Amino acid sequence: MSKRAFNFCAGPAALPEPVLQRAQAELLDWKGKGLSVMEMSHRSDEFVSIAETAERDLRDLLSIPANYKVLFLQGGASQQFAQIPLNLLPEGGKADYIDTGIWSKKAIDEARRYGGVNVAASAKPSDYFCIPAQREWQLSSGAAYVHYTPNETIGGLEFGWIPEVGEVPLVADMSSTILSRPLDVSRFGLIYAGAQKNIGPSGLVVVIVREDLLGKARGGCPTMLDYKVAADNGSMYNTPPTFAWYLAGLIFQWMKEQGGVEKMGEINERKQRKLYQAIDASALYNNPIAKADRSWMNVPFRLADERLDTPFLAGAEARGLLNLKGHRSVGGMRASIYNAVDEGAVDALLAYMAEFEKEHG
């Protein structure tokens, strides 16, 4: 095993070391073919097998129903902010959005370019420290869909529940929570997730869309952004991000070897619980998010004296604890503890936090 740092980056995030080692071993010669995955045709039998296996493993992990298409697309979640209304929001139509932080606000702003947007609920009155209760939501009549962000990566605010929206398709940006625990996909019309948290490297986005929502793209939708075109062509209307797709497939296999999303959920629950317990018991560190709405994947915390931020980060880096600086928009610290960040990394962070508090508290 190599000497690797503990990486708490929010994204691109840590990848499982066994996956990196396997990719390294196959980099020059994939299964005796004498070439890299990056060099083979996406139309070849070899790559089609890689793609089909990746989709099958993802379907197994999330128990995706047969009436859902799984798309492996270029770009990231931010492109989906436009692609979703182009496909699901008819001309002159409207959609409901829930505002819980920076990423949901970006989705709202982009959707407004294509049609009416009703912000049915907002966490702004609480300074984005708690999720608005569903009884307070003002959902529209005749909305094309309801969009929400289950986990706000920057603010660390997370839904612990799935909204009830009746027959209206529920659309979710699961970039930072997908595969972190079991999920009932059948509750959603569309799920999208940028890969660079729990799926793989950046440049790839996974879309899971119910089949009845395909074929509704507006006339001005570019062909490349039409979900039905992507589905009809097996996500290969053009050359896809082959290496990212291959790595995602390796991660799906690694997850199945770990025990699947059920086991990952158990591990992730322990990781976040011990980290929040230490923060709550501390006189130096604090987390402002309502306890019921705290993120499992992204744990922001502040030091009581901001002047300690710089020495804290320097000491962390010296101990191989990397990328703990909070997002520039909120400051403080943030530990992103995705699937590939094991309990040993969290324990090392907790030991350092205790040591730093003893010296500076």
Side-chain angles (χ1 to χ4, degrees), residues 81-93:
F81 298 161
Q83 195 162 350
I84 288 164
L86 282 170
N87 279 268
L88 303 185
L89 184 59
E91 296 280 359

Side-chain angles (χ1 to χ4, degrees), residues 21-274:
Q21 290 173 332
R22 180 173 169 185
Q24 181 185 50
E26 295 179 344
L27 187 63
L28 294 178
D29 183 5
W30 182 83
K31 297 189 176 181
K33 291 294 180 180
L35 77 169
S36 162
V37 169
M38 289 182 286
E39 300 170 289
M40 65 177 60
S41 168
H42 61 295
R43 307 290 185 189
S44 67
D45 291 343
E46 291 81 8
F47 187 78
V48 169
S49 174
I50 290 171
E52 290 177 345
T53 300
E55 178 178 341
R56 183 169 61 250
D57 286 340
L58 180 58
R59 285 185 177 275
D60 289 345
L61 285 165
L62 292 177
S63 300
I64 299 173
N67 64 324
Y68 284 74
K69 293 292 187 182
V70 177
L71 310 178
F72 292 84
L73 306 177
Q74 289 176 323
S78 293
Q79 180 171 293
Q80 295 304 307
F81 298 161
Q83 195 162 350
I84 288 164
L86 282 170
N87 279 268
L88 303 185
L89 184 59
E91 296 280 359
K94 60 183 175 181
D96 289 335
Y97 278 72
I98 311 303
D99 167 29
T100 50
I102 289 174
W103 292 114
S104 54
K105 287 190 287 187
K106 286 179 178 289
I108 289 166
D109 289 343
E110 189 68 18
R112 282 179 169 149
R113 296 165 59 92
Y114 303 100
V117 169
N118 169 50
V119 179
S122 176
K124 185 176 182 179
S126 70
D127 290 329
Y128 296 98
F129 291 160
C130 68
I131 301 289
Q134 184 154 6
R135 64 179 178 275
E136 300 171 1
W137 294 16
Q138 300 294 317
L139 297 173
S140 304
S141 173
Y145 58 87
V146 177
H147 178 285
Y148 82 118
T149 305
N151 182 70
E152 289 283 356
T153 314
I154 292 173
L157 187 65
E158 180 176 22
F159 281 78
W161 43 280
I162 298 174
E164 294 284 353
V165 295
E167 298 300 315
V168 179
L170 183 62
V171 175
D173 176 358
M174 290 197 173
S175 297
S176 49
T177 57
I178 196 167
L179 297 171
S180 66
R181 70 207 82 170
L183 175 69
D184 184 357
V185 173
S186 69
R187 299 277 299 277
F188 299 85
L190 185 148
I191 292 168
Y192 64 104
Q196 66 272 18
K197 319 287 188 182
N198 277 331
I199 294 175
S202 60
L204 175 73
V205 61
V206 171
V207 174
I208 303 169
V209 56
R210 207 172 60 215
E211 289 180 346
D212 64 286
L213 297 177
L214 299 173
K216 296 185 176 184
R218 59 175 63 191
C221 178
T223 303
M224 272 293 297
L225 300 183
D226 189 327
Y227 291 138
K228 188 175 189 303
V229 171
D232 289 347
N233 288 275
S235 300
M236 295 188 193
Y237 177 76
N238 72 322
T239 305
T242 54
F243 197 67
W245 197 339
Y246 154 76
L247 281 172
L250 295 187
I251 288 174
F252 300 155
Q253 292 176 28
W254 171 80
M255 284 194 61
K256 293 177 81 171
E257 292 165 0
Q258 307 311 303
V261 291
E262 291 80 9
K263 185 63 175 179
M264 297 310 305
E266 294 174 8
I267 296 170
N268 288 328
E269 194 282 328
R270 288 199 301 269
K271 284 156 46 179
Q272 61 87 23
R273 174 163 36 88
K274 65 172 66 175

